[in-house]
């Protein structure tokens, strides 16, 4: 009976050691899975950023719209400069003639 008890205890000890080894391997595998998931999440995030940055390039409609808006803005800037020059010219004309008109009316009085 005693021998059987010793045999079972030895078997139990061996199984405990096997279980400890398996637990260690499982923990190692879980760490590897966690690292892999973290890397995957980083790649997904980076991929999303890159897709967002290249969104215009991949869409013909967006590229066309961007080019049209860019050309329209450039035309508006050129028109603004032209209008500013015309305003400056007209303001100078008004000031010159206003000065001449003021000096003419002073002579009348």
């Amino acid at each position: 009976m005693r021998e059987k008890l010793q045999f079972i205890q030895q078997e139990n000890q061996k199984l405990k050691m096997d279980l400890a080894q398996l637990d260690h391997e499982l923990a190692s595998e879980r760490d590897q899975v966690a690292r892999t998931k973290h890397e995957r999440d980083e790649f997904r995030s980076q991929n999303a950023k890159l897709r967002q940055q290249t969104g215009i390039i991949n869409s013909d409609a967006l590229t066309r719209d961007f080019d049209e808006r860019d050309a329209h803005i450039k035309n508006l800037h050129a028109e603004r400069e032209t209008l500013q020059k015309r305003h400056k010219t007209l303001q100078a004309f008004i000031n010159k003639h206003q000065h001449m008109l003021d000096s003419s009316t002073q002579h009348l009085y």
Side-chain angles (χ1 to χ4, degrees), residues 20-60:
Q21 169 114 12
L22 290 174
D23 280 342
H24 179 68
E25 290 175 12
L26 177 63
S28 176
E29 292 293 324
R30 283 183 178 160
D31 289 343
Q32 180 65 29
V33 168
R35 281 192 301 275
T36 304
K37 284 183 179 181
H38 182 70
E39 288 176 3
R40 179 201 61 195
D41 292 341
E42 287 178 358
F43 285 130
R44 281 184 181 171
S45 175
Q46 185 180 16
N47 190 19
K49 287 178 186 177
L50 291 173
R51 284 181 187 264
Q52 186 177 18
Q53 290 173 354
T54 60
I56 291 177
I57 295 170
N58 293 334
S59 171
D60 291 337

Side-chain angles (χ1 to χ4, degrees), residues 8-98:
I8 292 176
Q9 286 177 343
Q10 287 175 352
E11 193 69 28
N12 193 18
Q13 188 68 24
K14 183 180 173 188
L15 290 174
K16 283 184 181 180
M17 288 176 32
D18 289 344
L19 179 62
Q21 169 114 12
L22 290 174
D23 280 342
H24 179 68
E25 290 175 12
L26 177 63
S28 176
E29 292 293 324
R30 283 183 178 160
D31 289 343
Q32 180 65 29
V33 168
R35 281 192 301 275
T36 304
K37 284 183 179 181
H38 182 70
E39 288 176 3
R40 179 201 61 195
D41 292 341
E42 287 178 358
F43 285 130
R44 281 184 181 171
S45 175
Q46 185 180 16
N47 190 19
K49 287 178 186 177
L50 291 173
R51 284 181 187 264
Q52 186 177 18
Q53 290 173 354
T54 60
I56 291 177
I57 295 170
N58 293 334
S59 171
D60 291 337
L62 288 176
T63 303
R64 191 176 333 102
D65 182 57
F66 177 79
D67 292 339
E68 289 172 2
R69 286 177 184 258
D70 188 47
H72 183 68
I73 288 170
K74 288 177 182 176
N75 289 337
L76 288 174
H77 282 293
E79 185 179 350
R80 182 191 63 177
E81 287 180 22
T82 303
L83 290 173
Q84 284 176 335
K85 288 177 184 176
R86 174 124 172 92
H87 178 266
K88 188 176 179 180
T89 303
L90 290 173
Q91 194 66 42
F93 178 81
I94 290 170
N95 289 340
K96 177 182 174 185
H97 286 83
Q98 185 67 39

Side-chain angles (χ1 to χ4, degrees), residues 93-107:
F93 178 81
I94 290 170
N95 289 340
K96 177 182 174 185
H97 286 83
Q98 185 67 39
H99 180 66
M100 290 172 56
L101 187 62
D102 288 343
S103 62
S104 304
T105 55
Q106 282 182 357
H107 286 17

